[in-house]
Amino acid sequence: MGCSGCRVRVNFGKVLSKVSVFFTMVLIFTYFFYCLTGFCDSAPRTLYSQQALDSDYDILDDRRRVLDDLRPPPSPRLFPDAPSQRNRTASADAERVGQLPQQHLSDGAEESNGIPVSNTFGTKRFPQAIIIGVKKGGTRALLEFLRIHPDVRAVGAEPHFFDRFYDKGLEWYRNLMPRTLDGQITMEKTPSYFVTKEAPSRVCTMNCQTKLIVVVRDPVTRAVSDYTQTLSKNPGLPSFQSLALKNSSTGLIDTTWSAVRIGLYAKHLENWLQHFPLSHFLFVSGERLVSDPAGEMGRVQDFLGLKRVVSDKHFYFNQTKGFPCLKKPEGSSRPRCLGKSKGRPHPQIPSEVLQRLRDFYRPFNHRFYQMSGQDFGWD
C-alpha cells in the first residue's frame, strides 16, 4: 500500500508537470501568433511608454528645426529618394548639380550629437511658394530668414528643376521636398527660374496657384555683384567694362551678357505674366532686405498667409559684412550669418561705365515699376 501510494503521487506530479508545460506552450504560441498578425501594436501601453510616444512627435519636430537653424553651412549629401542620384558624391557647388545639402534633407536620418534621429512625420508636397529670382538679389538671405518661421519648411539647396532637371519628372521633384505637417508651407528657391523662358509654363503645369517671390535689386549693382562672384571663381575673367560694353567708343551695352540681361526685370516679368496673374507675385526689395529686414519679412509673411513671427528681435547688423545677420539662436555658440561668399568687396568699375548702365536700365526700370506697382527708387 505504501509503495502504491508513492507511485500515485509520482504519477500525479508528472501529469501536473506535463499540464503546466502544455499550457505554457499554448500561451507562448498564442503570443507569437498575435504578434505576427500585428495585434501586439493595439495592446494597451504603460503610462510611461504612451507619454513617450506622444512626446516623440514634438521632440523630433523641434529637434529637426533646431538642427536646421543651428548647423553650419551645408555639406553635400546624397538624395535619399532619387535612385538615379545614389552612389554619387555631391558637388560642393549645390547650385551646379542641383543636389541637397545634408541639413535640409527631410527623410532618412538626421543626427544630433552623433545620434541618428528618424524623421518620417508629415508628407512631401509640391511647394506652395517659390522664390524664383533674382540671382545676386538677396534670395539666400530671404530663404534663411524665412526658415526661422516654424510654419515654413524649405529645401536648402537650389533644385533647379524647372530649368535644368525638368526631364526627371514631377515625382522626382516632389521627393526633394521636406516633409511638412498640416498648416506648414513647403518652399524652394532657384533664382534662375525668373530668367528661364520655359519656367512659367512648367510651374503652372505643376500648380497655377503657386505663390511667386522675386527679390530684386538695383540692376547696375546686381550686375557688378554677379561679375564679382564669377571673378572669384575665374580670376582670369576679362574686365567688367569689356564684358558690359559691345564697343567702348560707342558705349553700346551688350545685352547678351547674362550679368546685364538678368537686370531687364520688365522683360522677364512679361513672360511670367502670361501664365500667372500679378496677384500671385511678391516683389521684395533687396536693398530694404538689408536696411530693414524685419519690415520686408513682415510683407513676405503676410503674402504667404503666415503669422508675423520673424521680427526685429531676430536680427542684428554685421558691420564687417555690411548686411543683417540672425542673432545667436538658443543653444548656439555664435550668431548665424551667411557664408564667406556673401558680402564680397566689389572691384572698382569706371564711373562712366556705371553711368552708361544706369542710362541703359532706366526705361526698363520705369516699366518694371509700372508693372509691379512698386517704385524701387533705383534712378
Side-chain angles (χ1 to χ4, degrees), residues 224-225 227-229 231-232 320-321 340-348:
V224 175
S225 181
Y227 172 79
T228 303
Q229 182 184 55
L231 185 65
S232 69
T320 303
K321 285 184 171 290
K340 294 180 180 179
S341 64
K342 307 299 181 182
R344 298 185 188 94
H346 291 177
Q348 289 295 322

Side-chain angles (χ1 to χ4, degrees), residues 52-71:
L53 179 64
D54 292 341
S55 64
D56 278 348
Y57 178 92
D58 294 329
I59 293 172
L60 290 177
D61 192 60
D62 290 344
R63 184 175 297 175
R64 177 182 61 204
R65 296 194 177 283
V66 171
L67 289 172
D68 282 345
D69 285 341
L70 301 184
R71 281 182 175 172

Side-chain angles (χ1 to χ4, degrees), residues 168-241:
K168 291 183 178 292
L170 284 169
E171 189 62 21
W172 179 88
Y173 179 58
R174 187 178 66 83
N175 281 331
L176 301 185
M177 297 301 115
R179 293 182 181 274
T180 54
L181 307 174
D182 291 341
Q184 290 184 318
I185 292 178
T186 302
M187 293 189 65
E188 71 116 315
K189 78 107 176 170
T190 304
S192 54
Y193 291 162
F194 189 59
V195 299
T196 300
K197 183 179 180 180
E198 301 81 8
S201 61
R202 291 172 175 179
V203 174
C204 191
T205 297
M206 177 191 71
N207 183 2
C208 288
Q209 301 303 313
T210 305
K211 294 184 177 182
L212 306 168
I213 299 177
V214 189
V215 187
V216 290
R217 181 183 183 188
D218 182 337
V220 177
T221 308
R222 197 222 66 81
V224 175
S225 181
D226 197 339
Y227 172 79
T228 303
Q229 182 184 55
T230 307
L231 185 65
S232 69
K233 299 175 182 178
N234 181 12
L237 197 68
S239 66
F240 179 89
Q241 50 268 37

Side-chain angles (χ1 to χ4, degrees), residues 226-370:
D226 197 339
Y227 172 79
T228 303
Q229 182 184 55
T230 307
L231 185 65
S232 69
K233 299 175 182 178
N234 181 12
L237 197 68
S239 66
F240 179 89
Q241 50 268 37
S242 66
L243 294 170
L245 303 178
K246 286 184 177 180
N247 188 307
S248 58
S249 59
T250 62
L252 289 177
I253 303 299
D254 188 354
T255 57
T256 64
W257 186 32
S258 63
V260 170
R261 189 175 65 253
I262 290 173
L264 302 175
Y265 303 144
K267 284 189 170 293
H268 304 308
L269 182 57
E270 285 175 355
N271 185 34
W272 280 88
L273 289 177
Q274 294 178 22
H275 301 272
F276 291 89
L278 187 62
S279 60
H280 284 207
F281 292 85
L282 177 69
F283 301 97
V284 176
S285 167
E287 288 83 6
R288 286 197 292 271
L289 197 59
V290 172
S291 63
D292 181 20
E296 283 299 281
M297 289 305 299
R299 293 181 59 239
V300 174
Q301 290 170 96
D302 291 345
F303 174 70
L304 295 175
L306 298 170
K307 181 181 178 181
R308 287 198 175 197
V309 172
V310 184
S311 62
D312 280 322
K313 68 180 182 180
H314 292 98
F315 302 101
Y316 80 96
F317 191 81
N318 186 305
Q319 296 291 343
T320 303
K321 285 184 171 290
F323 53 74
C325 296
L326 298 175
K327 291 182 179 178
K328 183 176 71 172
E330 185 177 352
S332 176
S333 60
R334 58 182 179 179
R336 183 176 165 201
C337 272
L338 298 180
K340 294 180 180 179
S341 64
K342 307 299 181 182
R344 298 185 188 94
H346 291 177
Q348 289 295 322
I349 310 296
S351 58
E352 60 270 19
V353 175
L354 297 178
Q355 187 58 51
R356 287 184 186 275
L357 274 175
R358 291 191 182 95
D359 294 339
F360 166 77
Y361 278 123
R362 187 170 292 111
F364 294 102
N365 290 345
H366 288 171
R367 174 64 177 149
F368 180 64
Y369 298 166
Q370 293 172 351

